[in-house]
Amino acid sequence: KQYSDREEEAQQAIEEAVANRVVAADMGARIYQTYLNDADEARASFEMQKNPEKFMDDLNSKDKFVYLTGKQRGRWQTKADALIKRRQKEKEDARDAAEKIAINDIEKGIKILDGGAELNPQLEALLDPEGIRQRITDPGKAEKIIALTNDAVVFYNVRNSLSEMDTP
């Protein structure tokens, strides 16, 4: 709505300029085409930053960004592809960093438990197999870590049961 209102206002202003002989009719038409192209360029920049995946669909549709030239469309597609890849890489890097932190925390929890600390609710939550599966994206790696945590918990339980036994 807002885009079409601006388009109508620009067309009206150019028609008035042509009617008042401020600009020639052919010059007015070129000014109007330039305005439409510039408006699509600006809108493309905004839409691409907001949602590059949707922008790619809009760019390839027949009813959006109709005033962009083929060269401009190609340039915007390249920019959108690069933005999509960069955002995916940022997500992967953030996920990998969070996973490394989770693995370090789990390893610390195992060491704390092996060191003789009490298995408290906080430590249980850290070593919970479901929680580990949620924090570690590679299922094989998650299962190995779960096996290590299970061994640590079993060892903790055996050590505690031994300490409660009478010595002969």
Side-chain angles (χ1 to χ4, degrees):
K1 170 89 173 119
Q2 189 178 31
Y3 178 73
S4 61
D5 288 348
R6 288 183 185 155
E7 189 177 325
E8 287 176 23
E9 289 173 8
Q11 186 175 18
Q12 220 174 16
I14 291 170
E15 286 174 0
E16 287 177 15
V18 169
N20 292 326
R21 298 177 193 241
V22 175
V23 294
D26 62 331
M27 181 64 159
R30 282 194 297 272
I31 291 170
Y32 184 62
Q33 282 304 116
T34 301
Y35 166 80
L36 294 174
N37 182 266
D38 291 348
D40 269 2
E41 279 273 324
R43 199 165 48 119
S45 177
F46 177 76
E47 294 294 328
M48 183 190 68
Q49 291 298 322
K50 187 168 71 171
N51 186 343
E53 291 85 2
K54 183 179 180 308
F55 171 73
M56 291 290 279
D57 293 338
D58 290 347
L59 190 62
N60 293 320
S61 73
K62 303 243 185 242
D63 59 337
K64 302 254 178 139
F65 304 108
V66 294
Y67 299 106
L68 293 179
T69 65
K71 188 175 183 179
Q72 289 170 319
R73 284 179 185 280
R75 190 179 77 241
W76 282 112
Q77 187 161 358
T78 302
K79 285 182 178 183
D81 282 338
L83 181 60
I84 290 168
K85 287 177 184 172
R86 186 173 66 242
R87 287 184 180 176
Q88 286 173 342
K89 177 80 170 110
E90 288 170 357
K91 285 179 185 176
E92 289 170 7
D93 290 348
R95 186 191 67 234
D96 290 347
E99 191 170 293
K100 283 181 184 179
I101 291 170
I103 290 171
N104 286 338
D105 289 347
I106 293 166
E107 288 173 349
K108 286 177 189 174
I110 291 171
K111 286 179 183 177
I112 289 169
L113 197 59
D114 286 346
E118 186 177 330
L119 185 60
N120 59 34
Q122 184 181 7
L123 205 49
E124 284 179 358
L126 179 67
L127 302 178
D128 175 54
E130 268 318 299
I132 292 171
R133 284 185 189 102
Q134 290 175 358
R135 290 178 282 168
I136 310 299
T137 55
D138 179 8
K141 187 187 285 187
E143 293 307 316
K144 287 178 184 177
I145 293 171
I146 290 169
L148 289 173
T149 60
N150 288 340
D151 289 347
V153 171
V154 168
F155 179 73
Y156 168 81
N157 291 330
V158 168
R159 186 179 62 232
N160 279 352
S161 67
L162 288 174
S163 69
E164 293 173 4
M165 292 183 174
D166 289 335
T167 54

